[in-house]
Each structure stands twice: as structure tokens, then as C-alpha cells.
Amino acid sequence: MKQQLLQKVADKSAVIGIVGLGYVGLPLMLRFAEVGYKVLGFDIDQSKVDALSAGRSYIEHISADSIVEARERGFEATTDFSRAPEADTLILCVPTPLNKYREPDLSFVLDTMDSLVPYLREGHLVSLESTTYPGTTDEELLPRIESRGFKVGENAFLVFSPEREDPGNPNFTTRTIPKVCGGVTEACQEIGVALYSAVIDQVVPVSSTRAAEMTKLLENIHRAVNIGLVNEMKIVADKMGIDIHEVIRAAATKPFGFVPYYPGPGLGGHCIPIDPFYLTWKAREYGVNTRFIELAGEVNSNMPDWVVSKVASALNTRKKAINGSRVLVLGIAYKKNVDDMRESPSVFLMEKLRDLGAEVAYSDPHVPVFPKMREHHFDLASVALTAESIASYDCVLLATDHDKFDYALLAEHAQLLVDSRGKYLTPRANVVKA
Ligand SMILES: NC(=O)c1ccc[n+]([C@@H]2O[C@H](COP(=O)([O-])OP(=O)(O)OC[C@H]3O[C@@H](n4cnc5c(N)ncnc54)[C@H](O)[C@@H]3O)[C@@H](O)[C@H]2O)c1
């Protein structure tokens, strides 16, 4: 069974099933198709399947041309899970959010697996890519697969291989980002490594699925904690009249032992604000409190309030209040040069300012209309930035520093510009750092 699958991977006759065609699944699909594999994509969202089938993309940095090209190479998308036996691999790239109690919500992973279980067949390789706590693959997926009578490692295979996508970063592609992979058994590991090595330059094997799950969490917790630290440093520096960005730039010239992290208005995206709490939750089972994670979470989630307090005091020195002021928020995606709004601190800023009575508008070249979001509602479209429009606001708040903004134009015409990203190093009368 193992040899058969290895052979199919080697001669590219393996059909690659990818389940969940979002920010992670779609680029992976493109890479397998590029190398010459037939890819069968599964998603529960009919509109995504329709878009892909019509050769359209729904992610800004993935071109429609690349979808069309993949389709020409045999890529198909479907909502029909009964087609799972056509695929040799089932790579799961579905969301792993937190519930309202900030605990892991594994429902997407478990629902996906439950929909696939009736269609599992001998020789299937299941790979979970969604970020999750150590033990998920062993404790949740393994028993579901074996409930059908398969023996993992013998006639079905299971690995965990975390995704390391960095949307919008032009320096890395799916191929060039090394990929960690841990299998339930040695045979699982061997197949997992062979599969990913076919499309990725460097595959990093680890001894277990738990080690692979923990690796991804360490990477993201490392970021969350360091961003928390630098956000705290920013508040101290501000009180002392020091520009934290000048300090970070200077410290970053140290050629060893220092990694620069940059403060901002808070954490955003589907990973860094969420993933650390997967470990916090699981650690409780072992009687461990993850204090660094909790502390970083507290500092980071207070940042929008701190930025709003800077807006309030900046308006105050101009004899204005937030209440009744026209405030333009620049950049509502969670990070620069992308259109992804998930967990964006800009949205929290807009809500807080609106709650305090501001007339809020936004400008974002990547988000022309404020999208429908589950918990946030704004009936707004992006404001075009001209000298007149910029000057018409009491305050312009730089929340996400997209490269497409004309920073000179903004500084020249804003009555008041509150900069939460350290774009303006040189002091100006109308620029306040936050
Ligand atoms: N976006 C990133 O940059 C990134 C980076 C590294 C890791 N991750 C992790 O990868 C995972 C996926 O994230 P994403 O950003 O691709 O999410 P996403 O929301 O962009 O995509 C998930 C897709 O899964 C589909 N889906 C949901 N339930 C399904 C089901 N039961 N069956 C089939 N499809 C289903 C959704 O319709 C959606 O198309 C998460 O665990 C995330 O933490 C994301």
C-alpha cells in the first residue's frame, strides 16, 4: 500500500485532494498543479467552487490567470465529498478559530473529517495543515479514520504538516518556504515527506504529529509575545518622549542576538491573535499556565484603546473632541498590502471611535467596500485620497501602512495625522505618533 502511494507520488499520477480552498488551500493547489499533479479541490462554499470553476479568484494576491492555468492542468473544484475516493491525498486546510470563550473551535476540522470518513478508502493519505494544539491529529483524526476499520500506517496514512503562508510577502512562495511534517507512524512520515518534497524545496521531518503541531504554535507564539513586548516598549518610550521606531531601527543594526519586531495598533489576522490560545487551552490539561502568552495577549489587545487615547489627546490639544470629529482611518486590512480583514485592529479602532461619537470613514486601496463581517458592520466605501478629501477630516489615523498610500500627500494635507505604524520618523507639527 505504502509503495503504491509512493510510486504514484513519484510518477505524478497521484490525485491531490485539497479540502478547504482558502488562503492556505488555494496556493497549495496552484503549486501541485504547477508541478503536474491533478488536483481535486473540496469546499463547502458553493460560491468559491463556482468562482474557481469559472476561472475566477477571490483572493487579491492570487490571479485569475493562475486559476485558469491550473484548470487547464486538470484542477477541478467541487462541494461533492463523495468524490473523495478519486483523490489519493486529502490535505485539510480549514479554519481553526476561537469560540466566544476564546477556546479552540475545532468544529471545522471535525466537520470536514466527519464528511470525509464515509468516503475514505485504502491507501488514502490524510494531512492536516490547520494550526491547532498538540494532540489534535492523534486524538481527533486518528480514531475517526480507524473507526472505518483502517489501520493507520498500514492501509491509511496520517500526518500533520503546518502551513507557513505569509500572504502578500513577495520574497517567499509556497515552493520556497520550508515545510515541517510529522507522521503518526514511520510509514506515514515517509509518504508525507515524499508528497511535500515533490512540490516544496525543503521538507523538515519531525518525530511526531505532536512535535509538528507544537512547532507551528512556537512560531506564532514567538511572534505574539515579541509583538507584545515591543508594544509595551512603545508605550514606555512614548511616555519618555522617545521614538520607538528610531530605537528599533538602531537596535536592528546589531548583527547577532536581536530580531526586530514592530509595534502597531494591535494584532490582526487569522493566526497570531488566535493560535497562541490553542496552546493555553491545551496546557491547562497538563496543569500549566501559559503566562507569557496571556500577558502578550493582554498587552496586544489593549493597543487599540491606547491608540484611541492618543487620538483623543491629539484632538484635545486642538480644542476638539472625538465626539463630533470626522476621522478617516487609513488601512483596514490587518496588515500592509493585503485585503484580508480577519481580526483587523483597524475595525476595532473604527468601532471604538464610532462609539465615542466620531464620524468615521476609511480609505484602503485593497478594500474598496467595507465587507460583510459576522460581528462588525459599517456601511462604507473607501474614500479616494486627494488633497481636498484628506484636508476635510479633523483627524487621519494611519492604522495599516499599505505601500499604495501617498505618505507625502497625507502629511502635507492632513490637519492632524495620528501614525500608529511609525511611518513618519521626522517630527512634523501635524503628525502625532501612536
Ligand atoms: N491565512 C494564513 O496566512 C495562514 C497561515 C498559516 C496557517 N493558517 C492556518 O490554516 C488554516 C486555514 O486558514 P485559511 O486562512 O486558509 O482559512 P480560509 O477561511 O481562508 O479558508 C478555509 C476554507 O475552508 C472552507 N471550509 C470550511 N469548512 C469546511 C468543511 N467542513 N469542508 C470543506 N471546506 C471547508 C471554507 O469555505 C474556506 O474556503 C487555519 O488553521 C489557519 O490557522 C493560515
Side-chain angles (χ1 to χ4, degrees):
M1 194 73 19
K2 183 184 87 176
Q3 287 311 332
Q4 236 173 313
L5 190 49
L6 285 171
Q7 184 55 42
K8 280 180 153 185
V9 168
D11 66 22
K12 301 205 173 81
S13 63
V15 174
I16 309 301
I18 297 182
V19 190
L21 300 169
Y23 282 88
V24 169
L26 212 50
L28 193 64
M29 174 286 279
L30 292 177
R31 179 62 190 147
F32 274 105
E34 181 185 46
V35 168
Y37 290 93
K38 171 167 174 62
V39 186
L40 186 54
F42 297 88
D43 206 292
I44 49 169
D45 185 340
Q46 185 67 48
S47 67
K48 285 189 175 156
V49 169
D50 290 344
L52 296 170
S53 304
R56 281 184 278 119
S57 171
Y58 37 80
I59 295 178
E60 191 190 30
H61 62 272
I62 293 180
S63 72
D65 286 352
S66 65
I67 306 288
V68 170
E69 220 168 281
R71 286 196 48 76
E72 284 164 5
R73 292 167 182 263
F75 163 62
E76 278 182 80
T78 181
T79 54
D80 180 3
F81 282 58
S82 73
R83 294 188 61 189
E86 291 174 38
D88 294 288
T89 74
L90 297 166
I91 304 178
L92 276 44
C93 308
V94 295
T96 42
L98 296 174
N99 66 19
K100 64 177 175 178
Y101 305 106
R102 299 198 67 71
E103 293 168 343
D105 173 6
L106 273 192
S107 62
F108 295 90
V109 172
L110 301 185
D111 288 353
T112 304
M113 202 60 231
D114 289 339
S115 322
L116 289 170
V117 161
Y119 305 109
L120 289 177
R121 61 158 171 79
E122 282 209 337
H124 259 152
L125 166 71
V126 175
S127 172
L128 179 61
E129 297 217 0
S130 308
T131 309
T132 185
Y133 58 78
T136 308
T137 311
D138 270 355
E139 294 163 10
E140 300 292 347
L141 299 197
L142 180 63
R144 281 173 167 79
I145 295 173
E146 296 202 329
S147 71
R148 280 285 314 283
F150 298 108
K151 181 76 190 130
V152 166
E154 286 175 17
N155 56 1
F157 304 95
L158 177 60
V159 298
F160 182 81
S161 180
E163 175 54 45
R164 279 175 167 163
E165 171 84 353
D166 186 12
N169 184 336
N171 300 325
F172 300 100
T173 62
T174 305
R175 178 173 77 79
T176 60
I177 301 173
K179 195 147 175 41
V180 171
C181 181
V184 170
T185 68
E186 268 179 37
C188 297
Q189 172 74 317
E190 196 183 335
I191 296 178
V193 170
L195 174 73
Y196 287 114
S197 299
V199 291
I200 285 159
D201 290 350
Q202 190 194 349
V203 178
V204 182
V206 290
S207 64
S208 64
T209 53
R210 282 167 203 264
E213 288 158 338
M214 188 67 138
T215 302
K216 174 70 188 182
L217 289 182
L218 172 61
E219 292 165 15
N220 284 1
I221 289 166
H222 166 94
R223 278 187 67 73
V225 168
N226 279 287
I227 293 169
L229 172 67
V230 85
N231 275 332
E232 186 173 87
M233 292 288 287
K234 170 166 86 164
I235 293 171
V236 179
D238 182 75
K239 292 270 182 214
M240 294 177 169
I242 299 166
D243 184 333
I244 189 68
H245 292 276
E246 181 188 4
V247 172
I248 295 168
R249 278 168 218 178
T253 61
K254 183 179 177 185
F256 47 84
F258 180 82
V259 179
Y261 285 85
Y262 299 94
L267 285 185
H270 184 38
C271 297
I272 311 297
I274 291 175
D275 301 347
F277 297 100
Y278 269 68
L279 188 66
T280 295
W281 179 83
K282 190 66 177 174
R284 279 190 215 123
E285 189 183 315
Y286 295 83
V288 180
N289 290 325
T290 54
R291 286 176 291 165
F292 268 113
I293 297 175
E294 298 283 5
L295 185 58
E298 199 183 307
V299 172
N300 289 327
S301 59
N302 282 336
M303 290 317 290
D305 281 327
W306 189 78
V307 171
V308 168
S309 75
K310 296 296 281 186
V311 171
S313 65
L315 283 168
N316 190 55
T317 56
R318 286 156 181 81
K319 299 192 171 17
K320 290 179 184 174
I322 287 181
N323 197 351
S325 283
R326 299 181 75 234
V327 180
L328 179 68
V329 175
L330 297 175
I332 60 168
Y334 83 87
K335 71 170 184 176
K336 68 178 346 192
N337 305 336
V338 302
D339 62 346
D340 191 345
M341 299 274 299
R342 290 178 292 179
E343 305 286 320
S344 175
S346 308
V347 179
F348 294 113
L349 289 171
M350 288 172 71
E351 279 176 349
K352 284 174 191 294
L353 290 165
R354 180 175 65 184
D355 290 350
L356 290 167
E359 196 186 307
V360 178
Y362 85 91
S363 180
D364 192 315
H366 300 276
V367 191
V369 175
F370 196 96
K372 282 194 176 51
M373 297 180 84
R374 222 177 327 134
E375 285 158 15
H376 313 282
H377 179 75
F378 281 92
D379 196 7
L380 292 173
S382 175
V383 170
L385 295 180
T386 61
E388 297 72 42
S389 70
I390 295 165
S392 73
Y393 290 91
D394 298 294
C395 175
V396 176
L397 167 58
L398 177 58
T400 300
D401 50 342
H402 294 308
D403 289 341
K404 284 188 180 164
F405 287 133
D406 183 339
Y407 290 97
L409 185 80
L410 284 163
E412 195 179 331
H413 297 285
Q415 296 178 37
L416 166 64
L417 203 169
V418 176
D419 174 12
S420 75
R421 292 287 182 175
K423 264 317 230 194
Y424 297 95
L425 195 53
T426 317
R428 293 180 65 108
N430 62 339
V431 174
V432 170
K433 289 164 188 159

